[in-house]
């Protein structure tokens, strides 16, 4: 049986008194990735844009640029200045600007990208966001890649085997390099690497910020901003982390297929790496303290958060 409300609305409509609800404008935002189109991060970013399009019922759409409009280290400035509306970049590309995010890059942290990313995200939004190191863009989320391990041209059993080797972070002509496991595929290392040595928590993990142009963000409706917020922060950290862990799993398969030894570091080697990482950690503590952060407290909380996330909390 029709309700009084429905009858009233029907009567008003018959008299031409019901005004149509104003449609929210459609916005098209550009995005870009400084890695290749088949790289898992490019695919992750594209999937995230599709989530936003669905959450906003198509009011916010995205168009991928055919070419990244800047060198990778210039991504923050390119988004801030409107050369593109959405992207991500490694914090260590801009170390003077992004000091606090390098906490997540310290040796011996999370054993997976997802664990490290989610724990770091929780700490970032609680302590670091207010410092304003991403001022000028709308930060959507932070995450890290998988634990960086030791790729060498010779077998490594102990710290003595690393003495005198030319080790590069992120690649280069050398005797070895620090890389996440997925890099075995990305950088085609099967012909140059004799061994991959895994340190618990890794030797480092690159930290990323994922952000959009602030002016474009401010022009979005409150409804669409809320939809994007629901897909930001920990959602970004968890989905990006899972993407990287998936890529690392493929890297492990490739290492096994290439018959390159993937060796767990001995307790003695792990202890030596921890000992020699001390100055790196102390350097971050000093720089974070200069920013007004209680660095020892925050770092201890980060380590505790890593355990919580690893336990499924």
């Amino acid at each position: 049986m029709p309700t009084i409300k429905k009858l009233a609305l029907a009567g008003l409509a018959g008299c031409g008194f019901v005004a149509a609800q104003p449609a929210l404008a459609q916005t098209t935002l550009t995005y870009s990735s400084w890695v290749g189109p088949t790289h898992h991060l490019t695919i992750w970013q594209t999937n995230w844009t599709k989530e936003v399009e669905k959450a906003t019922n198509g009011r916010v759409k995205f168009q991928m640029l055919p070419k990244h409009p800047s060198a990778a280290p210039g991504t923050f400035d390119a988004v801030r200045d409107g050369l593109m509306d959405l992207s991500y970049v490694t914090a260590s590309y801009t170390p003077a600007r992004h000091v606090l995010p390098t906490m997540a890059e310290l040796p011996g942290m999370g054993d997976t990208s997802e664990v490290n990313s989610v724990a770091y995200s929780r700490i970032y939004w609680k302590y670091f966001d207010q410092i304003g190191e991403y001022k000028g863009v709308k930060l959507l989320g932070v995450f890290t890649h998988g634990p960086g391990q030791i790729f060498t041209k010779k077998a490594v059993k102990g710290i003595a085997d690393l003495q005198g080797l030319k080790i590069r972070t992120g690649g280069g002509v050398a005797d070895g390099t620090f890389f996440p496991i997925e890099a075995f595929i990305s950088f085609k290392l099967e012909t140059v690497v004799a061994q991959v040595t895994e340190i618990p928590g890794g030797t480092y993990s690159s930290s990323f910020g994922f952000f959009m142009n602030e002016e474009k963000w401010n022009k979005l409706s409150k409804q669409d901003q809320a939809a994007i917020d629901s897909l930001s922060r920990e959602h970004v950290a968890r989905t990006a982390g899972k993407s990287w862990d998936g890529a690392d799993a493929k890297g492990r398969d490739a290492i096994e297929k290439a018959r390159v030894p993937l060796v767990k570091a001995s307790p003695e080697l792990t202890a030596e790496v921890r000992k020699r990482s001390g100055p790196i950690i102390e350097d971050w503590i000093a720089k974070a303290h200069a920013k007004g952060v209680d660095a020892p407290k925050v770092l201890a909380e980060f380590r505790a958060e890593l355990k919580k996330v690893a336990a499924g909390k």
Side-chain angles (χ1 to χ4, degrees), residues 56-74:
T56 60
N57 293 317
R59 292 185 301 274
V60 178
K61 291 186 175 296
F62 293 86
Q63 178 182 356
M64 187 174 185
L65 297 178
K67 182 180 180 181
H68 200 66
S70 71

Side-chain angles (χ1 to χ4, degrees), residues 87-100:
S87 195
Y88 59 88
V89 76
T90 311
S92 54
Y93 280 161
T94 49
R97 175 184 284 155
H98 298 117
V99 173
L100 300 178

Side-chain angles (χ1 to χ4, degrees), residues 106 280-290 293-296 299:
L106 296 175
I280 299 173
I281 295 172
E282 289 303 318
D283 181 64
W284 179 83
I285 288 174
K287 290 176 179 176
H289 181 74
V293 172
D294 186 346
L299 185 56

